[in-house]
Amino acid sequence: MCGIAGAVTLTGKPPGEPLEPMLERERHRGPDDEGVWADAWCRLGHKRLAIIDLSPAGRQPLSNRQGSVWITFNGEIYNFQTLRRELEQDGYVFRTRTDTEVILSAYEKWGLDCLTRLRGMFAFALWDAPRRRLLLARDRVGKKPLFYTTAGGRLLFASELQSLLADPAVPRTVDLPAIDTYLSWGYVPAPQTAFENVFKLPPAHYLTLTLTPAGPVTRLERYWSLGYQAKLRLSEAEAAEALRDTLTEAVRLRMISDVPLGAFLSGGIDSSLIVGLMAGLSSGPVKTFSIGFEEADYNELVHARRVATRFGTDHHEFIVKPDALAILPKLVRHFGEPFADASAIPTYYVSEMTRRHVTVALTGDGGDESFAGYQRYLASRLAARIQRVPGLAMTARAAGGLLPSSRDFKNRWQRASRFLTALTESPAERYGRWVGGSTGHFTEADKVQLYRNRMWAALDGRRPVDWMASLFATAADLDPVDAAMAVDVAAYLPFDLLVKVDITSMANSLEARSPLLDHEVMELAARLPVAFKLRGRVSKYLLRRAFADVLPPENMARGKMGFGVPVGQWLRGPLQGLLADTLIAEPTLLRDCFNTAAVQQLVTAHLEGRADHGFRLWNLLMLELWHREMVSRTTLPTDNVRLYATGSS
């Protein structure tokens, strides 16, 4: 796992600015070694976190034997040993034990088609000098990030936004339509970023830049898609056996490491299964790491301890308190753009604790999106059935407005009301309500009160819900449950969940591996009948059946709790001062683009307990802190955030 950066000329002149300032911003991603290589057209840089082949032979950038093709690589190729044996049979000779060299040889043999043979997580840049061609590539689901831009007559790329911004030619111009999208979903989806003319390479895509006599030629292509329609004809028992074999193999491959490894353990089904499989494959106790809260409704530690006891793990725990928000300025820099998922805070701390003991951690990420773990999948099924009956959706919506109100988004009446009142909306609009807490993210109606003229002029009629609607349109022929999962794989998974895990783990120089996101596991799950994933009200049905003998019954029978954070309570309590000073007293972006009176109304209603606007206020707080840190560079010092969080300000 590493950080990469580079530049390719677009004018024929040498690439210009050195890469060292960009690489220095990625030191946390690779503290073990570094390297830079350049020719007349291209510069490649690398920060190394040594995992496989710890010797100097694994240093990057790395070339083929002829020195004609060079690569800087971030990630892990889990089937590299199998590919290496195949390539050796064809006469390829290897100088290292690394997966990086296998990618080079695979490219030499299969060209761009090599991407479909890689089983793992990756983002890499490969310079083919004879062709004068740069290849940027990203893994199927988007586990490893890759950003790029054009500036100063060059194409620049890096693992993090803050690295690109280290180049003085890259302007920090805010992309207001991207900010609008952020307020709708809590993240900025690819290819957008929060900055104009700075882009994310989308998951499962590659970009080539070829320098020709007529000028540079770029090409962006998708190389993989997850298919749901060719369903497998398997009995339940056969499907359970296939799932067990495939997931066990995915775990085994991710335990290949030359450094110590462990696992995140939440106590939910997914991470508990991974720990159980690791225990069966390991010769010694698995090291496990869990996070908890003082607020009982958010604390899963008792369930994690039960699993740790079952498998005799070397278990470690950490309690997250409001003063943990002292890391917010640091997190904002690492994300590089506004990011509203507050669970990034505990994920950062569990990563920090884990890194004190190991360098690699396996996670349970991906089980919900493949095996129907979220409640919104059942809601999608019920909504589709209700809408088949003329007039029933309108009646149900009216009934939802009569239910008792609650500021607790986990309250069953609150959940029922949120479900019923969204029934007459489009699938994309319903999705927005269901993924954003008690009040959801900001709707188009909310923005009428929130935005000033500057925002409306920048949007020019574009709506973020149209992007989400296009994803649902692509999945229109699928069962409603498969369709909702397909949308999550295209949106929430790569742009929220995986961004959170990559940034918070790599900020601590920790590599996170996710067996449930193995593409062979995902392809198997997608082709299973929907009833194998959601049986009645039972989520992850086949996953529970296939591994019924692995976990304690209490854990296997648990419903989805979610990795929530009590931001609403914190904002009413110890973080009131930070909220007021950031959003009301001296806002920067908010002052120019938002109606501060509307923001004040949200703050007041939340603090007085008349509504739960915790998620929306957190979105605005992260947006304002990002603007101060990354654009106007007037950040709130870390010590001040700590004073707010402890009530000492």
Side-chain angles (χ1 to χ4, degrees):
M1 195 65 62
C2 308
I4 67 174
V8 174
T9 181
L10 299 175
T11 63
K13 298 179 181 179
E17 294 288 337
L19 295 181
E20 282 75 11
M22 294 173 66
L23 291 171
E24 183 59 30
R25 299 289 181 91
E26 296 180 352
R27 176 172 294 277
H28 52 282
R29 301 186 75 95
D32 297 331
D33 199 0
E34 63 183 66
V36 174
W37 171 87
D39 66 9
W41 302 277
C42 175
R43 286 183 178 176
L44 301 179
H46 189 262
K47 284 285 188 179
R48 184 187 186 195
L49 179 62
I51 304 292
I52 301 292
D53 191 348
L54 309 185
S55 73
R59 177 175 294 171
Q60 296 185 46
L62 185 69
S63 74
N64 62 354
R65 292 178 66 84
Q66 296 76 29
S68 59
V69 181
W70 288 80
I71 188 172
T72 181
F73 163 57
N74 170 27
E76 300 287 350
I77 306 303
Y78 301 118
N79 65 334
F80 80 97
Q81 293 170 330
T82 301
L83 289 174
R84 176 176 175 140
R85 287 192 292 269
E86 181 179 353
L87 290 162
E88 285 175 332
Q89 290 175 357
D90 286 345
Y92 286 84
V93 177
F94 292 86
R95 297 162 292 158
T96 75
R97 296 188 298 107
T98 66
D99 50 354
T100 310
E101 191 177 9
V102 171
I103 298 174
L104 280 169
S105 296
Y107 171 79
E108 288 186 285
K109 180 172 176 59
W110 296 300
L112 298 176
D113 289 339
C114 72
L115 297 172
T116 63
R117 293 174 175 265
L118 304 181
R119 185 177 184 179
M121 55 181 180
F122 56 85
F124 66 79
L126 184 150
W127 175 246
D128 186 334
R131 292 184 174 89
R132 292 190 186 177
R133 181 172 74 182
L134 175 73
L135 167 63
L136 301 180
R138 197 167 174 211
D139 65 66
R140 293 168 177 82
V141 191
K143 286 167 275 191
K144 294 291 99 187
L146 192 53
F147 298 88
Y148 66 96
T149 188
T150 54
R154 299 155 297 152
L155 184 143
L156 304 170
F157 61 87
S159 294
E160 292 189 13
L161 270 171
Q162 64 171 331
S163 180
L164 280 183
L165 296 173
D167 189 291
V170 180
R172 302 187 182 214
T173 307
V174 177
D175 188 323
L176 292 180
I179 301 305
D180 180 50
T181 301
Y182 160 79
L183 290 173
S184 290
W185 310 117
Y187 53 77
V188 180
Q192 286 180 299
T193 72
F195 297 98
E196 290 184 0
N197 195 43
V198 180
F199 306 99
K200 302 180 182 80
L201 184 65
H205 280 70
Y206 67 82
L207 181 148
T208 58
L209 169 68
T210 306
L211 304 181
T212 74
V217 176
T218 59
R219 174 187 172 198
L220 179 66
E221 296 285 344
R222 172 182 284 274
Y223 66 86
W224 178 84
S225 295
L226 187 59
Y228 290 82
Q229 290 185 315
K231 296 300 184 186
L232 297 170
R233 296 180 178 272
L234 297 175
S235 68
E236 229 175 76
E238 291 170 334
E241 181 181 3
L243 174 57
R244 186 153 180 156
D245 290 345
T246 306
L247 183 54
T248 301
E249 175 66 3
V251 171
R252 185 192 67 78
L253 289 173
R254 283 157 182 79
M255 293 179 68
I256 298 172
S257 173
D258 292 337
V259 295
L261 56 81
F264 292 169
L265 177 58
S266 71
I269 291 176
D270 301 332
S271 66
S272 300
L273 277 179
I274 299 306
V275 169
L277 291 173
M278 290 177 69
L281 294 166
S282 179
S283 59
V286 176
K287 295 182 183 295
T288 53
F289 306 90
S290 300
I291 210 83
F293 297 90
E294 294 178 316
E295 295 82 1
D297 288 346
Y298 296 84
N299 196 357
E300 293 187 274
L301 286 179
V302 64
H303 305 292
R305 291 169 192 156
R306 190 184 302 117
V307 174
T309 300
R310 170 72 171 257
F311 298 110
T313 72
D314 179 7
H315 189 58
H316 306 264
E317 296 179 352
F318 182 84
I319 298 292
V320 178
K321 300 179 182 180
D323 61 359
L325 272 69
I327 61 158
L328 281 182
K330 179 178 182 179
L331 278 181
V332 168
R333 286 192 297 274
H334 283 300
F335 281 107
E337 60 184 352
F339 184 77
D341 189 339
S343 66
I345 296 163
T347 307
Y348 175 90
Y349 280 108
V350 75
S351 298
E352 181 185 57
M353 173 178 60
T354 301
R355 186 60 176 91
R356 298 185 202 128
H357 303 271
V358 300
T359 310
V360 176
L362 273 62
T363 82
D365 296 327
D368 293 310
E369 293 81 5
S370 285
F371 296 96
Y374 297 127
Q375 289 187 341
R376 56 181 173 267
Y377 301 141
L378 175 59
S380 296
R381 170 183 287 171
L382 295 176
R385 291 176 177 174
I386 290 172
Q387 289 183 328
R388 294 192 192 109
V389 182
L392 184 56
M394 289 293 294
T395 303
R397 177 186 175 91
L402 301 176
L403 294 176
S405 61
S406 172
R407 71 184 193 186
D408 178 10
F409 79 94
K410 294 187 176 184
N411 179 278
R412 63 177 180 176
W413 296 114
Q414 177 68 28
R415 289 177 172 178
S417 176
R418 192 162 69 247
F419 168 71
L420 293 171
T421 54
L423 283 175
T424 57
E425 298 177 338
S426 70
E429 291 168 325
R430 289 200 304 266
Y431 180 90
R433 288 188 181 273
W434 292 345
V435 299
S438 59
T439 52
H441 297 296
F442 290 93
T443 66
E444 299 306 309
D446 296 326
K447 295 171 184 177
V448 172
Q449 302 298 322
L450 185 65
Y451 287 173
R452 292 185 181 272
N453 288 337
R454 182 185 173 192
M455 280 293 291
W456 292 120
L459 300 182
D460 193 26
R462 290 171 288 183
R463 304 185 311 160
V465 73
D466 295 333
W467 167 69
M468 190 62 67
S470 70
L471 299 181
F472 275 99
T474 301
D477 294 336
L478 302 179
D479 176 276
V481 174
D482 272 346
M485 288 191 290
V487 168
D488 271 337
V489 169
Y492 172 73
L493 180 65
F495 306 134
D496 187 312
L497 179 60
L498 297 183
V499 171
K500 173 188 69 178
V501 173
D502 174 79
I503 289 294
T504 56
S505 61
M506 292 307 296
N508 290 287
S509 305
L510 177 74
E511 175 171 299
R513 300 178 175 180
S514 306
L516 283 158
L517 290 173
D518 184 284
H519 78 273
E520 294 191 10
V521 174
M522 295 182 70
E523 288 172 349
L524 171 62
R527 296 184 62 195
L528 291 174
V530 172
F532 284 5
K533 291 170 275 194
L534 183 61
R535 177 71 59 89
R537 298 178 61 86
V538 179
S539 63
K540 301 180 182 176
Y541 173 78
L542 190 68
L543 202 63
R544 295 175 194 267
R545 169 169 177 173
F547 296 95
D549 61 323
V550 175
L551 298 186
E554 299 92 336
N555 291 74
M556 191 61 82
R558 289 186 64 214
K560 177 69 176 177
M561 181 174 179
F563 199 21
V565 178
V567 292
Q569 298 176 38
W570 288 354
L571 292 174
R572 286 194 188 95
L575 296 183
Q576 282 192 43
L578 176 63
L579 185 67
D581 287 354
T582 305
L583 297 188
I584 303 302
E586 298 179 1
T588 53
L589 180 66
L590 297 188
R591 180 184 60 238
D592 295 335
C593 297
F594 296 79
N595 181 349
T596 52
V599 177
Q600 175 72 69
Q601 290 175 4
L602 290 174
V603 173
T604 302
H606 184 78
L607 295 181
E608 293 178 353
R610 291 184 282 111
D612 183 356
H613 292 305
F615 282 87
R616 290 175 175 176
L617 292 174
W618 186 261
N619 286 14
L620 292 174
L621 182 64
M622 292 301 99
L623 175 61
E624 180 64 20
L625 289 177
W626 163 77
H627 192 268
R628 294 185 184 191
E629 183 72 41
M630 303 301 295
V631 182
S632 63
R633 308 191 203 188
T634 56
T635 183
L636 187 67
T638 297
D639 287 344
N640 285 8
V641 179
R642 182 177 291 108
L643 290 175
Y644 281 117
T646 57
S648 302
S649 60

